[in-house]
Amino acid sequence: MNRTEITTRLAARLDAGDDGVLAVMLVRLQRLQEFRLVHGYEASDAIGAAAGARLRTVLRPVDELVQVAENEFVALLPRLRDGEHAMLAAARVARAFEDTLSVGAHSVMAPVAVGVSLYPAHGLEPDTLLRRAELALRDAKRTTDRCALFVPGTERVAVPYERLHEALRNNELEAHFEPILDLQRNAIAGYESLARWTAPGLGPVRPDVFIRLAEDTGLIAELTRWSLNASLRHVAHARAAGTPLRISINISPRVFGQRDIVAQVTSALGVWEVPAQDVTLEVTESALMEDPVASLKLLHRLREAGLGIAIDDFGAGYSSLAYLKQFPATEFKIDRGFVTDMRSDARSGRVVRSIIDLGHHLELGVVAEGVEDGETLDLLRALGCDRAQGYFIGHAQPAAAVVGRLRTGA
Ligand code: C2E
Ligand code: CA
Ligand code: CA
């Protein structure tokens, strides 16, 4: 049960050279950690074994399966027609985990995410193929069908750590504000702050790229400090001109472990004299579920301090309802994937409707993001959704320009 074994086996197959198109499929169980916290190691090992058995039932006899970690499997699928063929298999795997796994007295929803890379299209070496399957798996967590194929060109731009460090020190990042529309009043309810970075010589770097880099290197503490202060500074300017505004700020789960994060947030509010009620912190659903116990504690403290809490990318992370009820959230933000698809895909439409109903039952506000056309906006309004954002409503723009317009009333 380890990575060396899969690398060796994969190398042997590639050397033999008679597999044609070979898919490397990385399958990760999403909720095992949470299950282990509640039921212990023995039960979670048994769930891992049951997952392996279920995987075998959906794979072909020629496919090879190796468990590489407690919650992780790699399947090698030889002699496929093409990528589409591989994704049919991946979708079959993801669907097989829509039913609960049971072991003895326990039964658990253990949804999976599936990342796929292809030999020879995506790499000739075992390491490259495994790494690219891992990258696809990160994307898979964000899709509604829980699986993704590696897309060439989506690998991280090689932004060196030093450059980002320097950028933070030299204040090269810029806060952009994206408008959020109140659907009942048909008026702007506030803004979401999104970081932008154009690195001299490198050009614009996508936020998910530099935020991941910050998370992986420990720079996220500094980035969070920058993001809080940059966002609140603009809010303070607006307030000074008599145009207070509500702001939503993204917070990476990687800073949850920092002991002083609550103090940091409240002291930034104090410095800029922004009332906590005007600020909502956005945390992704999947981040919360990575460590539900610690998240719960932290969120309670932030709520006690008066901040709003949005559960971001909601619907993509399979939260357990038991936890959801306990999270002291003030709003759900429906994952963009469902909203963008809701006109064309009935299933996404139903998911959106259910999230709105669930949110309202829990007395939470519901925000839809990724609204790209007027029809979707009308549909959301008809479904009783509270707020919406997306390109149809407005793109994120430099915060200084947004605040400038507010001040002049333009
Ligand atoms: P997110 O919080 O889910 O932010 C929404 C993303 O969707 C933004 O991408 C936004 O530009 C994009 N978007 C908005 N409307 C539409 C639309 O109608 N269609 C489509 N296709 N996309 C739309 P962006 O700015 O690239 O940010 C990506 C992610 O990076 C964010 O996802 C957030 O998780 C993270 N992020 C951005 N700024 C910060 C920050 O200051 N701190 C932290 N910790 N994370 C940040
Ligand atoms: Ca967000
Ligand atoms: Ca989001």
Side-chain angles (χ1 to χ4, degrees):
M1 188 160 123
N2 62 50
R3 283 170 205 282
T4 328
E5 183 184 342
I6 186 64
T7 311
T8 313
R9 285 217 216 173
L10 183 51
R13 294 203 75 120
L14 299 183
D15 281 344
D18 56 0
D19 282 340
V21 172
L22 170 93
V24 176
M25 184 188 281
L26 181 62
V27 182
R28 190 172 294 152
L29 295 173
Q30 299 291 289
R31 301 247 316 269
L32 213 59
Q33 199 185 5
E34 176 196 337
F35 184 80
R36 190 177 58 227
L37 283 173
V38 181
H39 299 291
Y41 280 94
E42 218 170 294
S44 74
D45 283 350
I47 292 283
R54 180 159 305 170
L55 271 170
R56 271 268 59 118
T57 66
V58 284
L59 295 172
R60 305 167 304 174
V62 294
D63 300 335
E64 205 170 337
L65 181 69
V66 178
Q67 184 165 11
V68 292
E70 185 197 24
N71 64 337
E72 201 171 295
F73 297 84
V74 174
L76 306 178
L77 288 67
R79 294 190 279 283
L80 298 174
R81 278 193 309 275
D82 50 21
E84 221 166 286
H85 196 183
M87 292 320 285
L88 282 176
R92 206 162 57 230
V93 165
R95 270 201 310 275
F97 286 85
E98 285 175 4
D99 294 329
T100 54
L101 285 173
S102 33
V103 176
H106 302 300
S107 102
V108 61
M109 271 296 292
V112 294
V114 186
V116 179
S117 66
L118 297 177
Y119 169 89
H122 299 154
L124 305 176
E125 302 294 329
D127 274 349
T128 314
L129 288 163
L130 288 165
R131 209 175 55 233
R132 294 187 160 174
E134 173 80 47
L135 282 169
L137 190 135
R138 287 192 176 195
D139 290 339
K141 291 186 187 170
R142 296 194 44 89
T143 65
T144 48
D145 51 6
R146 318 292 299 159
C147 45
L149 183 63
F150 171 73
V151 182
T154 55
E155 266 170 305
R156 290 183 209 192
V157 191
V159 186
Y161 165 89
E162 291 75 23
R163 285 299 297 278
L164 181 58
H165 193 207
E166 219 177 79
L168 284 162
R169 222 181 22 222
N170 300 343
N171 216 4
E172 274 173 35
L173 270 64
E174 193 182 25
H176 281 220
F177 282 3
E178 178 176 309
I180 303 173
L181 184 74
D182 181 315
L183 289 177
Q184 310 310 322
R185 291 192 295 118
N186 204 28
I188 297 302
Y191 298 85
E192 175 175 0
S193 177
L194 296 165
R196 295 285 178 266
W197 178 31
T198 304
L202 276 179
V205 185
R206 283 179 27 204
D208 36 3
V209 170
F210 66 79
I211 280 152
R212 256 184 219 172
L213 173 66
E215 288 178 343
D216 293 348
T217 58
L219 282 176
I220 193 66
E222 258 178 84
L223 193 141
T224 305
R225 205 171 305 126
W226 167 82
S227 165
L228 278 169
N229 283 289
S231 310
L232 293 178
R233 180 164 58 85
H234 291 291
V235 174
H237 281 171
R239 292 178 64 79
T243 51
L245 55 89
R246 298 185 52 88
I247 191 78
S248 296
I249 303 173
N250 293 286
I251 292 289
S252 159
R254 295 290 171 273
V255 300
F256 279 18
Q258 274 173 245
R259 284 232 317 279
D260 62 342
I261 184 70
V262 178
Q264 212 185 100
V265 172
T266 50
S267 92
L269 290 172
V271 166
W272 299 108
E273 298 181 347
V274 174
Q277 294 81 296
D278 284 358
V279 179
T280 295
L281 299 182
E282 298 195 358
V283 192
T284 62
E285 183 197 11
S286 48
L288 292 175
M289 298 316 288
E290 271 176 28
D291 190 348
V293 179
S295 306
L296 196 58
K297 265 197 211 147
L298 181 73
L299 294 192
H300 271 295
R301 289 177 59 209
L302 291 166
R303 267 308 283 145
E304 277 160 22
L307 290 114
I309 305 289
I311 302 190
D312 204 354
D313 302 345
F314 189 81
Y318 286 94
S319 298
S320 93
L321 278 177
Y323 278 118
L324 260 188
K325 271 196 324 205
Q326 297 177 46
F327 283 128
T330 48
E331 65 185 39
F332 285 159
K333 293 190 80 164
I334 309 173
D335 189 61
R336 193 167 77 220
F338 297 113
V339 178
T340 309
D341 290 351
M342 69 184 281
R343 273 194 316 131
S344 56
D345 168 31
R347 188 164 161 256
S348 292
R350 283 196 297 272
V351 172
V352 169
R353 178 191 297 257
S354 319
I355 296 177
I356 294 171
D357 291 346
L358 176 65
H360 288 167
H361 274 302
L362 296 172
E363 299 183 339
L364 305 181
V366 181
V367 187
E369 58 179 15
V371 177
E372 294 182 354
D373 56 72
E375 263 173 76
T376 303
L377 192 67
D378 292 341
L379 257 171
L380 287 163
R381 193 180 274 121
L383 290 175
C385 190
D386 302 292
R387 290 180 287 283
Q389 55 187 109
Y391 297 163
F392 182 74
I393 294 154
H395 286 262
Q397 293 189 351
V402 171
V403 170
R405 270 202 307 278
L406 281 175
R407 290 167 73 125
T408 56

